[in-house]
């Protein structure tokens, strides 16, 4: 047994208090006002991508550069060796090294390891264990940051910064999280995360989805209820579009595959195709209380939301994407230097 203390990771916002997250958001605002610093001078960050990215990769690389540090991007199986995750394997397949060595070696080179590892979309009971991120967190001796697995906590921070910039205090403000259509089943991570962060800041949350098959994993539904108990606000689910939009002050949309059909997507497709009318459009937005709208991006226009909604003044998706840069800088500063 090692006596070396475990580093503080950023795997899910549920491990962090509202106060800790608020301090990160305040520091993010300072970085937004003054982007250049030497807070990461001589520091290095490994960005490990098992899946593609535009915003996450760019915002982390640029953010580290703006703080005087250096980021190394690795894509296992592409420009880095394929990695085995399961313990105790006879490694006679494609993987050339085990995550135990990968995490320990990167810890010798880098001050933070950030990881993106989406679900495999075959078996939710396996995917919900978040094995890649958990293994990095177990074997790394430096802080590990979740760049999206089954939650997307960096996106949560950017969303909350955006909400605060436009609504002020989020407590008791009406937040609608609506499922929207997409031709393929997508990760539930951002939807899970939207529930976590909105409830962590005591918002009045409505979750709108087509049927109970599209409800989110009970782990996150319960976490939202627990957060509401601790921080105030409310949480309800509905399948009624008009009821959900009426009076909303912030509309957040995401598409996700039904957990009830996880891994059986051919069977789910005709079901999902019945709900194309969940698209966010001007008629639905007109039911709201002059709501702002946002999406984590990437977004298929005129599938998830109309051009008119994406191009409206109330659409904050670009601002939320920009805020990824600021919140991640605050996070790295905190994890490496203990700042904020
Ligand atoms: N929102 C987000 O994480 O974007 P990328 O998938 O492009 O990184």
């Amino acid at each position: 047994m090692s006596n070396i203390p475990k580093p503080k990771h950023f795997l899910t916002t549920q491990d962090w208090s509202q106060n800790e997250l608020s301090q990160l958001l305040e520091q993010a605002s300072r970085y937004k006002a003054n982007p250049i610093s030497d807070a990461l001078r001589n520091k290095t960050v490994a960005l490990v991508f098992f899946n593609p990215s535009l915003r996450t990769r760019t915002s982390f690389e640029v953010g580290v550069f703006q703080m005087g540090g250096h980021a190394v991007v690795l894509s296992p199986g592409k420009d880095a060796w394929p990695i085995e995750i399961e313990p105790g394997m006879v490694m006679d397949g494609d993987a050339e090294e085990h995550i135990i060595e990968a995490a320990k070696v990167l810890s010798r080179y880098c001050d933070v390891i950030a990881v993106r590892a989406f679900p495999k979309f075959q078996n939710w009971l396996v995917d919900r264990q978040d094995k890649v991120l958990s293994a990095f967190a177990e074997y790394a001796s430096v802080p590990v940051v979740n760049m999206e697995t089954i939650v997307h906590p960096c996106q949560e921070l950017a969303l909350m910064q955006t909400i605060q910039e436009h609504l002020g205090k989020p407590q008791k403000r009406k937040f609608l999280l609506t499922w929207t259509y997409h031709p393929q089943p997508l990760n539930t991570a951002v939807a899970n995360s939207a529930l976590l962060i909105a409830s962590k800041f005591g918002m009045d949350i409505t979750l709108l989805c087509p049927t109970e098959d599209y409800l989110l994993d009970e782990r996150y539904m319960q976490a939202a209820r627990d957060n509401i108990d601790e921080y105030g606000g409310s949480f309800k689910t509905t399948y009624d579009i008009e009821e959900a939009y009426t009076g909303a002050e912030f509309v957040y949309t995401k598409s996700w595959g039904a957990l009830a059909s996880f891994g059986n997507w051919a069977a789910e497709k005709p079901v999902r195709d019945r709900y194309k009318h969940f698209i966010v459009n001007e008629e639905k937005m007109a039911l709201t209380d002059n709501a702002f709208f946002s999406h984590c991006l990437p977004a298929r226009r005129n599938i998830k939301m109309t051009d008119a909604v994406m191009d409206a003044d109330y659409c904050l998706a670009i601002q939320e994407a920009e805020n990824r840069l600021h919140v991640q800088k605050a996070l790295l500063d905190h994890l490496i230097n203990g700042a904020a």
Side-chain angles (χ1 to χ4, degrees):
M1 289 291 286
S2 166
N3 290 324
I4 300 171
K6 280 279 179 197
K8 183 174 185 179
H9 301 306
F10 188 69
L11 308 180
T12 164
T13 54
Q14 281 306 94
D15 296 337
W16 293 54
S17 70
Q18 186 199 79
N19 186 46
E20 288 175 307
L21 298 174
S22 292
Q23 287 179 30
L24 289 181
L25 292 169
E26 286 165 19
Q27 179 70 349
S29 296
R30 290 191 282 274
Y31 273 121
K32 193 167 186 172
N34 295 294
I36 307 302
S37 80
D38 62 358
L40 297 192
R41 190 151 54 94
N42 298 329
K43 303 295 184 185
T44 51
V45 178
L47 305 176
V48 184
F49 284 97
F50 290 86
N51 307 96
S53 165
L54 185 149
R55 280 142 291 272
T56 303
R57 174 174 173 171
T58 311
S59 57
F60 266 102
E61 276 203 68
V62 170
V64 171
F65 172 79
Q66 290 181 344
M67 301 169 84
H70 182 74
V72 180
V73 179
L74 297 165
S75 298
K78 294 182 184 144
D79 56 20
W81 299 116
I83 296 174
E84 176 60 57
I85 307 301
E86 296 293 338
M89 292 292 287
V90 176
M91 289 175 52
D92 57 358
D94 292 337
E96 290 294 343
E97 66 179 323
H98 201 277
I99 198 163
I100 297 172
E101 284 74 50
K104 289 183 175 180
V105 169
L106 288 176
S107 299
R108 299 288 176 104
Y109 300 143
C110 298
D111 298 284
V112 164
I113 302 171
V115 179
R116 166 166 284 196
F118 290 174
K120 297 261 186 281
F121 282 100
Q122 289 159 358
N123 181 343
W124 176 241
L125 293 180
V126 174
D127 282 337
R128 83 193 288 277
Q129 295 173 46
D130 219 356
K131 287 184 178 182
V132 176
L133 188 72
S134 301
F136 268 107
E138 180 175 354
Y139 297 112
S141 54
V142 297
V144 172
V145 170
N146 184 345
M147 296 195 295
E148 189 178 355
T149 59
I150 54 173
V151 287
H152 198 350
C154 295
Q155 194 74 48
E156 290 179 47
L157 293 178
L159 169 60
M160 186 46 64
Q161 183 174 21
T162 308
I163 290 172
Q164 291 180 342
E165 286 170 340
H166 288 272
L167 292 183
K169 285 191 189 313
Q171 280 77 12
K172 302 293 290 177
R173 306 303 293 267
K174 291 183 169 39
F175 180 87
L176 169 61
L177 170 60
T178 175
W179 182 92
T180 191
Y181 179 75
H182 189 281
Q184 282 121 32
L186 298 182
N187 196 352
T188 53
V190 170
N192 295 333
S193 276
L195 277 190
L196 294 182
I197 199 69
S199 58
K200 183 75 92 169
F201 282 81
M203 299 187 81
D204 284 340
I205 304 166
T206 299
L207 169 62
L208 169 66
C209 47
T211 67
E212 64 181 8
D213 284 347
Y214 288 83
L215 290 174
L216 295 164
D217 187 287
E218 184 55 24
R219 175 197 290 169
Y220 301 106
M221 304 281 282
Q222 187 56 46
R225 292 182 207 107
D226 292 344
N227 286 343
I228 293 295
D229 286 346
E230 188 168 355
Y231 298 111
S234 61
F235 176 36
K236 68 176 181 185
T237 60
T238 182
Y239 313 116
D240 183 321
I241 292 174
E242 187 172 335
E243 177 198 331
Y245 274 83
T246 300
E249 296 176 280
F250 200 102
V251 175
Y252 202 57
T253 194
K254 184 72 184 74
S255 190
W256 61 87
L259 292 181
S261 303
F262 207 86
N264 190 16
W265 303 118
E268 190 230 12
K269 175 97 172 110
V271 178
R272 187 157 23 95
D273 283 354
R274 291 207 291 269
Y275 301 113
K276 292 180 180 177
H277 61 286
F278 273 69
I279 186 171
V280 182
N281 58 22
E282 287 175 294
E283 291 71 32
K284 295 187 182 78
M285 290 301 294
L287 296 170
T288 70
D289 183 6
N290 292 309
F292 296 102
F293 166 81
S294 197
H295 182 276
C296 63
L297 302 177
R300 295 191 186 212
R301 283 173 171 245
N302 302 310
I303 296 286
K304 289 176 165 178
M305 70 293 287
T306 60
D307 279 335
V309 168
M310 275 308 275
D311 295 333
D313 288 344
Y314 55 68
C315 176
L316 305 177
I318 303 299
Q319 183 173 327
E320 182 181 331
E322 182 201 319
N323 285 342
R324 290 288 303 278
L325 178 64
H326 312 305
V327 299
Q328 289 159 192
K329 288 164 73 175
L331 175 66
L332 292 173
D333 196 359
H334 177 77
L335 291 174
I336 293 174
N337 301 317

